[in-house]
Structures are given as structure tokens and as C-alpha cells.
Amino acid sequence: TTTTATTTTKTRRTQHNHSVWAKVKEDPSRDWTMETLSQLSGFPESTLHRLTWKLQHSTPQDMVRKARMERAAALLSRGALIQDAVASQVGYGNAFSFSRAFKKHFGISPKQFRGRLTPAGVAKKYLDGPGNKQGGNPRPEEDRNPGNMEKGMP
């Protein structure tokens, strides 16, 4: 019965932990403090932190940031919202702090991210090779064939 009780406790903790992050993903704009997350999970803050680290290999704050950045990437990929609106929808008070967090998370700015998703952005990235001062690709002509691009070749 000790094994059953231990298994039940572990299952309960895992379920609570996953339900907390599901709620964060549903509403990333909410002010997700440790106190709020703790109340939602039913665990003290220290226990929530320990469980999140054990189960997700991340801190609660990093999990919130990750959920916000995933939503931001999805919103930016749709292209309909301006950066201020995306920032607001993912819990950032201004576009500057959002842009800084986005760049830290993905390694590129929201504007660069959006540009890479458009056909023009893909073409620009493809044609702007290193060492090419005129904006064209320095690779041989057959590498620039659009048919090769469809086959997944750069």
C-alpha cells in the first residue's frame, strides 16, 4: 500500500503541474506570479518550484515565459497584429520589453521573425548569402533554381 500511496501522490503532483501550465498557455497575458501559480496548483511556492524543476526541467517563471513566447510566435506568424498588440496579448506592458524578451528567447527580433515567415522573407534570406555585396546568392546557378527550393535544398 505504500507503493500505491506514493504512486498516487506522484500522479496527483504531475497532474496538478500539467494543469497549471495548461492554464498559463490558455491565458499568457495574465499576471502569473508565484503566488498565483501556487494557489492554482494547490502547492506551496517552494513545492511548486521543486516539482516544476523535477517534471519540466525549468523554473515556473521560465515556463510562463516559454508559454508567452510560444503564443507570441503563433500570433506573429499570422501577421495580422502589430507588435504592440502581440505584446499586450502575451502579458507584456510595452513592445520594447516584449521585443527584448522575444529576442532573448528566439535569438531574433519579432520583426525579423515575421520577415522570415513571408515568401519575400524566405526569398531574401535565400538570396542574401554571406560575402555577396550585391544581394544575390554567390552559389552556383543550379543551387538557385526554384525547383531545388521545393525539394528542401537551400
Side-chain angles (χ1 to χ4, degrees):
T1 60
T2 303
T3 306
T4 305
T6 303
T7 303
T8 303
T9 302
K10 286 181 182 179
T11 301
R12 180 180 162 267
R13 288 180 178 169
T14 301
Q15 288 171 343
H16 276 287
N17 195 272
H18 287 296
S19 71
V20 167
W21 304 122
K23 292 204 183 297
V24 170
K25 287 180 180 182
E26 287 173 17
D27 186 10
S29 66
R30 185 171 170 186
D31 184 19
W32 292 106
T33 64
M34 276 301 292
E35 182 179 356
T36 305
L37 294 168
S38 174
Q39 289 171 354
L40 184 62
S41 72
F43 295 114
E45 291 179 24
S46 59
T47 302
L48 176 64
H49 194 280
R50 185 176 45 78
L51 286 173
T52 304
W53 185 258
K54 184 177 180 179
L55 298 171
Q56 306 288 341
H57 305 286
S58 190
T59 66
Q61 295 84 359
D62 286 341
M63 293 294 292
V64 170
R65 192 173 306 112
K66 180 181 176 189
R68 288 178 171 165
M69 292 298 108
E70 287 173 358
R71 174 71 62 87
L75 292 169
L76 288 168
S77 68
R78 293 184 198 134
L81 298 175
I82 61 171
Q83 188 171 317
D84 286 338
V86 173
S88 176
Q89 287 193 25
V90 296
Y92 286 87
N94 62 62
F96 178 76
S97 60
F98 163 68
S99 182
R100 188 176 57 211
F102 190 93
K103 186 168 185 173
K104 185 177 180 181
H105 185 82
F106 288 108
I108 58 174
S109 71
K111 184 177 180 178
Q112 291 169 323
F113 179 85
R114 186 176 279 171
R116 289 184 180 186
L117 297 174
T118 64
V122 172
K124 182 172 177 17
K125 181 180 175 192
Y126 177 73
L127 294 173
D128 287 345
N132 188 350
K133 298 180 193 279
Q134 297 178 341
N137 192 330
R139 292 180 282 178
E141 185 64 32
E142 63 271 14
D143 282 351
R144 286 183 268 160
N145 179 337
N148 286 342
M149 284 181 66
E150 291 173 10
K151 296 175 188 169
M153 295 181 66

